[in-house]
Amino acid sequence: MDSHLQRYPLMETPLEKALTTMVSTFHKYSGREGSKLTLSRKELKELIKKELCLGEKMKESGIDDLMRTLDKNSDQEIDFKEYTVFLTTLCMAYNDFFLEEDK
Amino acid sequence: MDSHLQRYPLMETPLEKALTTMVSTFHKYSGREGSKLTLSRKELKELIKKELCLGEKMKESGIDDLMRTLDKNSDQEIDFKEYTVFLTTLCMAYNDFFLEEDK
């Protein structure tokens, strides 16, 4: 994954870097166990704990709730599309936070 | 917007930075004309041309098509939620590209 990101460093704008980070973060965890193209509960938990500040405070029951909410097709795995729904929700929460701070 | 991003620099992981970039990029353009909370066609065009490599090649008709696709409530403006749908679509295209390259 990194080789692709490094191949085009001069072409990348901040928004493109944001998109590649979202993709590479998924694959950093999805490849650890089971299917390489999906996040298991354990992989999702590791991603949240390591890559998001909110993860530190999240309890096991919070991980379970999140897993249930994101896993639309109920296969106990989070695929890339389900992961983008999660990021979109976070992105909208960030936006609300910034708008609130700007008041 | 920048003041908030700079306030917590040490707390930010790459994924969190990606999320804040998505938010700040939207507001960089949404505040230029009309409503500060939405992108007009002109603002969307500027964002695409300046922040995405694909923008260079995009024709006026492409901007029109994109505007129609994203503007779900047909108010001639792209709100933050409609913008996240655009980024999600791009993110999935990036993912497909990387998976293809990894073969």
Side-chain angles (χ1 to χ4, degrees):
Chain A
M1 184 64 59
D2 282 344
S3 62
H4 306 133
L5 306 184
Q6 284 159 6
R7 205 177 297 166
Y8 314 111
L10 294 174
M11 292 167 63
E12 219 171 41
T13 67
L15 187 58
E16 288 168 334
K17 189 171 169 48
L19 293 168
T20 54
T21 297
M22 289 168 129
V23 173
S24 62
T25 301
F26 179 86
H27 292 286
K28 182 176 167 186
Y29 294 89
S30 70
R32 295 189 175 183
E33 65 171 19
S35 167
K36 286 193 174 184
L37 300 181
T38 58
L39 294 170
S40 65
R41 184 192 181 284
K42 188 181 170 190
E43 288 167 340
L44 176 69
K45 182 181 166 183
E46 283 171 348
L47 187 156
I48 290 170
K49 294 274 177 193
K50 301 255 173 71
E51 308 294 339
L52 295 167
C53 284
L54 66 89
E56 283 181 54
K57 294 177 186 167
M58 206 171 217
K59 295 175 184 169
E60 287 297 321
S61 60
I63 304 279
D64 284 335
D65 288 345
L66 183 63
M67 190 80 196
R68 260 194 301 273
T69 306
L70 297 178
D71 183 20
K72 294 290 181 202
N73 63 353
S74 303
D75 64 353
Q76 314 305 317
E77 297 277 334
I78 305 303
D79 62 27
F80 192 79
K81 191 172 181 183
E82 291 164 342
Y83 165 78
T84 63
V85 172
F86 173 50
L87 293 187
T88 301
T89 308
L90 278 180
C91 205
M92 295 191 64
Y94 268 58
N95 189 45
D96 291 343
F97 173 74
F98 288 128
L99 292 178
E100 198 57 42
E101 289 265 302
D102 267 348
K103 271 185 185 166
Chain B
M1 185 62 60
D2 282 344
S3 62
H4 307 134
L5 305 186
Q6 284 160 6
R7 205 176 297 165
Y8 314 110
L10 294 174
M11 291 167 64
E12 220 170 41
T13 68
L15 187 59
E16 287 169 334
K17 189 169 169 51
L19 292 167
T20 55
T21 298
M22 290 170 131
V23 173
S24 62
T25 302
F26 179 85
H27 292 286
K28 182 176 167 187
Y29 293 89
S30 70
R32 295 191 175 181
E33 67 171 20
S35 167
K36 286 193 174 184
L37 300 183
T38 57
L39 294 170
S40 64
R41 184 191 182 284
K42 189 180 168 190
E43 288 167 339
L44 176 70
K45 182 182 167 185
E46 284 171 350
L47 187 156
I48 290 169
K49 293 275 177 192
K50 301 255 173 71
E51 308 294 340
L52 295 167
C53 284
L54 65 91
E56 282 180 53
K57 293 176 186 167
M58 207 170 215
K59 295 176 184 167
E60 288 297 321
S61 60
I63 304 280
D64 285 336
D65 290 343
L66 183 63
M67 189 80 197
R68 261 194 300 273
T69 306
L70 298 179
D71 182 20
K72 294 288 179 203
N73 64 353
S74 304
D75 64 353
Q76 314 305 317
E77 298 277 334
I78 305 303
D79 62 27
F80 191 79
K81 191 173 180 181
E82 289 164 346
Y83 165 78
T84 63
V85 172
F86 173 50
L87 294 187
T88 300
T89 309
L90 278 180
C91 205
M92 294 189 66
Y94 268 58
N95 188 46
D96 291 343
F97 173 73
F98 287 128
L99 292 178
E100 199 57 42
E101 288 266 303
D102 266 349
K103 271 184 187 168

